[in-house]
Amino acid sequence: MNKIVEILPDKAALIQRSLALVISKIQTAVQERGMCTIALSGGSTPKPLYEALAGQDLPWRSLQVFWGDERYVPSDHPDSNEGMARKAWLDQVKIPKFNIHPVPTDEATPALAAYKYEEELRQMFQANLGDFPALDIILLGMGDDGHTASLFPHTEALEVGDRLIAVGNKNGEPRITFTAPLINHARCVIFVVAGESKRPALAQVFATEADDLAYPSRLIQPQGELWWLLDQAAGEELAQADPTNPVKTE
Ligand code: 6PG
């Protein structure tokens, strides 16, 4: 694993840096493999990044878009990660509609939605049971509790090691989520994290010793590249924490 941590002075700089990195990874994937597979994160942090991507001139027809997690709601629901990304970005650019692969949250149960999404990924990547496809880019956020995607502390989804997609659980609210092993097979994982409220969890995630099940972002140790892009408000203490593990500050 190649882990890079960058701390940007403020949220605007964080979004601009995230944009530059995502553009670079999309272009590299398309140059090397003729396509780019990207999984989007939800929540509030990535919205300005998606809005910035909408203004770019990229090989949209070569992009295949997935979601690393989704709430079990229709796409027109205000909590929908799909709905947020479509409004902010995907509806504004010429990505062929069949290149966009939302979680089928209209299935009768969260478990069926997870099963169907797994089937769709297996078909897309020609991945048999037991195989884990390597997406080119997986974007992630991190909650104040250290969760990522919908891998919440001390939930069953953290233990799923043989599936691509699991049912997450946020205080009883069902989610559909990439599993840790699927995320860890990505070529490039990019965390985009902003705000002072993330500091306590970041300290635990970056600590040498801490409970992975209490801070699930610790489980993300991809065989490819791992980028942590933080704003100063979130990453302040990390910059001082470990002089042996240089953190690049802009
Ligand atoms: C979701 C996300 C989740 C998010 C974190 C951070 O569906 O909510 O995928 O993992 O990235 O909760 O959310 P914020 O960016 O809003 O802080």
Side-chain angles (χ1 to χ4, degrees):
M1 176 184 72
N2 175 12
K3 175 175 166 181
I4 304 114
V5 183
E6 292 188 12
I7 298 176
L8 288 305
D10 54 36
K11 177 125 185 235
L14 170 66
I15 295 304
Q16 283 310 306
R17 178 69 183 110
S18 304
L19 176 67
L21 183 61
V22 169
I23 290 171
S24 161
K25 296 302 176 186
I26 289 173
Q27 290 173 333
T28 300
V30 173
Q31 281 156 18
E32 292 179 357
R33 288 177 291 281
M35 68 186 288
C36 175
T37 54
I38 182 171
L40 306 184
S41 63
S44 58
T45 304
K47 188 175 177 195
L49 168 59
Y50 299 158
E51 288 165 342
L53 279 163
Q56 300 301 311
D57 178 14
L58 289 169
W60 299 123
R61 303 188 65 78
S62 303
L63 213 59
Q64 296 287 342
V65 180
F66 303 85
W67 274 265
D69 75 312
E70 185 56 279
R71 293 81 183 274
Y72 184 60
V73 295
S75 60
D76 60 358
H77 189 283
D79 290 350
S80 169
N81 290 338
E82 173 194 351
M84 183 272 277
R86 283 187 184 275
K87 284 193 200 86
W89 169 23
L90 302 175
D91 289 352
Q92 324 305 331
V93 297
K94 292 188 175 2
I95 296 183
K97 67 177 183 179
F98 294 116
N99 289 29
I100 299 174
H101 307 272
V103 177
T105 56
D106 53 351
E107 291 294 336
T109 65
L112 196 51
Y115 175 82
K116 292 279 189 165
Y117 204 43
E118 174 145 350
E119 287 306 296
E120 180 170 359
L121 266 76
R122 289 196 182 285
Q123 189 174 14
M124 173 84 199
F125 291 95
Q126 294 297 297
N128 299 319
L129 267 178
D131 296 338
F132 288 92
L135 275 78
D136 292 305
I137 305 166
I138 296 182
L139 295 178
L140 294 174
M142 188 196 75
D144 293 357
D145 59 358
H147 83 263
T148 190
S150 284
L151 300 169
F152 288 91
H154 303 297
T155 56
E156 287 177 18
L158 303 185
E159 313 285 347
V160 178
D162 60 350
R163 310 292 304 188
L164 308 183
I165 309 294
V167 175
N169 173 0
K170 178 182 183 180
N171 305 322
E173 174 204 334
R175 300 283 191 89
I176 290 86
T177 185
F178 276 20
T179 59
L182 175 58
I183 296 171
N184 285 333
H185 276 77
R187 292 189 176 87
C188 178
V189 175
I190 304 173
F191 276 93
V192 182
V193 180
E196 192 168 346
S197 68
K198 312 288 186 182
R199 275 192 206 173
L202 279 171
Q204 294 297 320
V205 171
F206 278 74
T208 311
E209 298 292 328
D211 180 357
D212 292 355
L213 300 183
Y215 297 95
S217 294
R218 292 176 60 86
L219 297 171
I220 307 309
Q221 308 288 339
Q223 55 194 9
E225 297 178 13
L226 174 58
W227 292 78
W228 281 89
L229 301 183
L230 312 170
D231 69 356
Q232 185 77 16
E236 171 83 19
E237 286 151 13
L238 287 184
Q240 296 143 13
D242 177 0
T244 61
N245 178 14
V247 166
K248 184 179 170 194
T249 56
E250 295 294 315

